[in-house]
């Protein structure tokens, strides 16, 4: 097997690039839907379908594409995802009617879900232990960049009759780039060792480390854990070895969504319009938030390997919970004067900062790095399916809950979820920072063998 020598930066960039399509395809629709709805004369119900079709597709994509990586490796499936991205983007851009649009958005969702179940593990398996958190957070960085590009294209193309078609079809460009990247990217050294391709694995590890001795030691560690050659099954995923990680992944994936990240982002333009920004200025403010998001996520990339993941989750949940309460208070006061609206806008910005620096990236990093090697793909995939399902439920319940409770009160509900998540993190998560993937797995084995001696969390 031929391994091209590439720089670590190149591998990280193309390895994370699928996140850009994830962000773009989920972000673009909020702007495009207004125009689509007018031109294709959609009912409210049909609008809902066009928006949530990606979510439905993503659940399917995460369930089907991710687990295959334990058998075929990540590279081939990243290539497959890029082809699906390309077809979905072109099809949705040229969709003649509602049905084509929904079908093409489901296809896009397949690729988005696939990317979310492949990339965190791929990046984790590529990076050296002391850089793994930062490298795997590049996935979230790409998601945020994709969302920002979507906001900008929404803003620039808003006046054009067929602007929405360009908005949707534009995603074909990064899909092409991902295809080229997928073609030249190496397979992960962990997968290569499991396949018995030791020479290729050594060559890939050497791209990230100049010290031959360290490369050799890492290779030995991987070989030790890779003794189970076959790809694991669902029985392994639910078995006693990976159970603590399974509970952790499920909880993190559910809380990340039920703490309200997508509804707050969705609500941002309305809050800015309430303060008195015009529609266009509110959309500009939206772009401002997009830029802010990218900057804060960059901070997360820099600090990820310096602060324990559990601490980041706990600080993040406090910050998000408190800002949600302030946001609700602000919204309730907004009828009585400008103070309330400003309070809501500032609290919203602080909420987003906490999310982007903590729960946004950390959830994906942890589900990508914590499962044992022979079910790592399956485990990441499971976490992604739970996350997309929670995302779909939160999106679908948002409109009815909003009319039942009103915005102010609804955000209190998400704040409660933030505070419950703090308890969950204390009790059920396992610290992974600074440990190699092999050390994380060895600790799981140790824990399984001493089930009665140790508490589940540490
Ligand atoms: C979440 C998505 C969210 C995105 C941007 C990701 O970590 O999983 O649901 O849309 O961040 O906020």
């Amino acid at each position: 097997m031929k391994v091209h020598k590439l720089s670590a930066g190149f591998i990280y960039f193309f390895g994370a690039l699928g996140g850009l399509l994830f962000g773009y395809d989920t972000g673009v629709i909020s702007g495009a839907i207004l125009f689509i709805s007018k031109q294709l004369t959609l009912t409210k119900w049909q609008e809902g379908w066009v928006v949530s079709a990606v979510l439905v597709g993503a659940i399917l994509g995460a369930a089907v594409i991710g687990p295959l990586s334990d058998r075929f490796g990540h590279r081939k499936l990243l290539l497959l995802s890029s082809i699906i991205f390309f077809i979905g983007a072109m099809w949705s851009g040229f969709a003649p009617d509602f049905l084509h649009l929904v079908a093409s958005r489901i296809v896009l969702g397949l690729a988005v879900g696939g990317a979310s179940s492949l990339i965190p593990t791929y990046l984790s398996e590529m990076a050296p232990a002391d850089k793994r958190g930062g490298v795997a957070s590049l996935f979230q960085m790409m998601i945020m960049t994709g969302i920002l590009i979507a906001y900008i294209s929404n803003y620039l193309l808003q006046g054009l009759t067929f602007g929405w078609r360009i908005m949707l079809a534009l995603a074909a460009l990064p899909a092409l780039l991902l295809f080229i990247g997928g073609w030249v990217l190496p397979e992960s050294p962990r997968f290569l060792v499991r396949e018995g391709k030791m020479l290729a694995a050594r060559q890939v590890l050497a791209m990230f480390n100049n010290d031959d001795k360290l490369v050799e030691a890492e290779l030995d560690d991987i070989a030790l854990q890779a003794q189970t050659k076959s790809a694991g099954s669902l029985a392994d995923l639910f078995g006693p070895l990976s159970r603590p990680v399974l509970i952790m992944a499920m909880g993190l994936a559910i809380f990340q969504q039920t703490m309200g990240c997508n509804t707050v982002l969705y609500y941002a333009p309305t809050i800015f319009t309430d303060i008195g920004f015009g529609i266009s200025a509110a959309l500009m403010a939206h772009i401002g938030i997009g830029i802010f998001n990218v900057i804060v996520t960059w901070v997360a990339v820099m600090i990820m390997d310096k602060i324990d993941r559990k601490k980041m989750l706990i600080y993040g949940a406090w910050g998000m919970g408190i800002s949600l309460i302030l946001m609700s208070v602000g919204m309730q006061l907004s009828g009585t004067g400008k103070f309330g609206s400003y309070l809501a806008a500032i609290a919203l910005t602080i909420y987003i900062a906490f999310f982007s620096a903590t729960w946004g990236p950390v959830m994906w990093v942890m589900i990508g790095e914590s499962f044992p090697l022979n079910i790592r793909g399956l485990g990441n995939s499971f976490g992604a399916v739970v996350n997309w399902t929670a995302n779909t439920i939160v999106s679908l319940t948002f409109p009815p809950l909003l009319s039942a409770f009103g915005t102010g009160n609804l955000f209190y509900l998400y704040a409660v979820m933030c505070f419950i998540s703090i308890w969950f993190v204390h009790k059920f998560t396992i610290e992974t920072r600074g440990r190699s993937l092999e050390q994380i797995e060895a600790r799981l084995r140790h824990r399984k063998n001493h089930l009665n001696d140790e508490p589940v969390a540490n």
Side-chain angles (χ1 to χ4, degrees):
M1 183 194 158
K2 189 163 162 36
V3 177
H4 307 276
K5 177 137 183 54
L6 299 166
S7 75
F10 180 94
I11 295 173
Y12 297 152
F13 175 82
F14 279 96
L17 188 64
L20 191 102
L21 287 143
F22 170 158
Y24 186 82
D25 284 317
T26 51
V28 78
I29 201 68
S30 59
I33 192 70
L34 307 172
F35 306 101
I36 297 175
S37 187
K38 246 192 234 155
Q39 274 189 15
L40 301 184
T41 48
L42 302 184
T43 61
K44 276 279 164 225
W45 175 85
Q46 288 174 320
E47 265 183 30
W49 263 103
V50 172
V51 174
S52 34
V54 162
L55 299 178
V56 176
I59 300 176
L60 286 174
V64 175
I65 298 181
L68 294 176
S69 64
D70 290 328
R71 198 149 292 143
F72 300 108
H74 291 84
R75 213 179 65 87
K76 292 191 188 107
L77 292 160
L78 272 178
L79 266 178
L80 175 71
S81 302
S82 70
I83 297 171
I84 304 179
F85 266 130
F86 185 84
I87 296 174
M90 295 307 273
W91 188 6
S92 59
F94 289 95
D97 55 27
F98 165 71
L99 280 182
H100 277 269
L101 198 55
V102 169
S104 63
R105 301 259 312 147
I106 292 180
V107 168
L108 264 180
L110 288 176
V112 171
S116 68
S117 61
L118 295 170
I119 296 176
T121 327
Y122 179 72
L123 293 174
S124 291
E125 294 203 344
M126 283 309 206
D130 60 337
K131 298 202 180 76
R132 194 181 60 241
V135 169
S137 306
L138 291 174
F139 177 54
Q140 182 74 15
M141 181 71 197
M142 285 290 187
I143 299 178
M144 291 307 195
T145 310
I147 292 183
L148 172 63
I149 299 175
Y151 289 169
I152 297 175
S153 81
N154 283 353
Y155 183 75
L156 294 179
L157 297 171
Q158 56 179 322
L160 298 177
T161 326
F162 289 106
W164 67 270
R165 292 195 181 276
I166 306 177
M167 286 180 203
L168 298 189
L170 258 182
L173 287 179
L176 266 182
L177 211 60
L178 184 65
F179 182 79
I180 298 169
W183 204 254
V184 289
L185 280 178
E187 190 42 84
S188 109
R190 268 89 189 164
F191 180 77
L192 290 170
V193 171
R194 263 187 52 219
E195 294 274 281
K197 296 178 179 152
M198 300 304 274
L199 180 65
R202 185 178 293 113
Q203 286 171 327
V204 176
L205 285 173
M207 294 180 200
F208 303 94
N209 207 330
N210 295 327
D211 186 332
D212 282 351
K213 277 209 189 100
L214 288 180
V215 167
E216 241 13 86
E218 198 174 347
L219 202 58
D220 288 346
D221 273 354
I222 299 175
L224 197 68
Q225 296 296 344
Q227 278 161 2
T228 324
K229 290 271 182 284
S230 62
S233 62
L234 279 177
D236 295 315
L237 181 67
F238 292 100
L241 175 65
S242 50
R243 193 166 301 139
V245 185
L246 190 79
I247 295 173
M248 169 172 102
M250 247 171 81
L252 294 183
I254 293 174
F255 280 113
Q256 196 215 36
Q257 293 299 322
T258 50
M259 288 152 95
C261 60
N262 286 307
T263 51
V264 174
L265 269 187
Y266 171 84
Y267 226 71
T270 316
I271 291 187
F272 283 99
T273 326
D274 278 357
I275 305 183
F277 283 93
I279 300 277
S280 191
L283 278 179
M284 270 307 267
H286 212 190
I287 295 180
I289 290 186
I291 296 174
F292 178 65
N293 256 329
V294 171
I295 296 172
V296 178
T297 312
W298 191 246
V299 174
V301 171
M302 307 308 272
I303 61 174
M304 189 65 75
D305 291 301
K306 301 196 171 66
I307 304 178
D308 280 352
R309 315 252 199 275
K310 285 177 79 151
K311 272 198 190 139
M312 289 183 75
L313 292 171
I314 291 169
Y315 293 151
W318 276 115
M320 287 159 73
I322 294 173
S323 35
L324 278 174
I325 293 179
L326 292 176
M327 202 167 114
S328 301
V329 172
M331 284 171 148
Q332 279 159 345
L333 291 178
S334 61
T336 60
K338 281 269 172 265
F339 171 76
S341 311
Y342 278 106
L343 179 64
I346 293 169
L348 174 132
T349 314
I350 297 177
Y351 171 94
I352 291 177
F354 272 102
F355 173 79
S356 301
T358 62
W359 278 81
V362 176
M363 192 279 313
W364 290 111
V365 170
M366 289 182 88
I367 64 169
E369 68 187 1
S370 304
F371 285 94
L373 176 59
N374 72 327
I375 52 160
R376 204 167 281 142
L378 185 62
N380 188 157
S381 183
F382 176 83
V385 169
V386 175
N387 188 267
W388 285 110
T389 309
N391 191 338
T392 311
I393 294 174
V394 173
S395 312
L396 294 179
T397 51
F398 180 63
L401 286 177
L402 194 64
S403 47
F405 291 105
T407 17
N409 292 331
L410 179 54
F411 288 125
Y412 283 128
L413 198 71
Y414 299 135
V416 171
M417 296 310 291
C418 295
F419 299 128
I420 301 180
S421 80
I422 297 172
W423 165 80
F424 179 85
V425 171
H426 272 300
K427 199 151 171 55
F428 292 107
T429 55
I430 297 164
E431 186 52 56
T432 47
R433 181 179 76 91
R435 294 177 187 150
S436 69
L437 297 176
E438 290 63 41
Q439 285 165 340
I440 298 173
E441 182 163 347
R443 284 173 71 94
L444 282 177
R445 291 191 188 286
H446 176 83
R447 185 171 280 169
K448 184 190 144 213
N449 297 334
H450 300 82
L451 259 186
N452 298 324
D453 317 344
E454 271 189 76
V456 176
N458 67 346

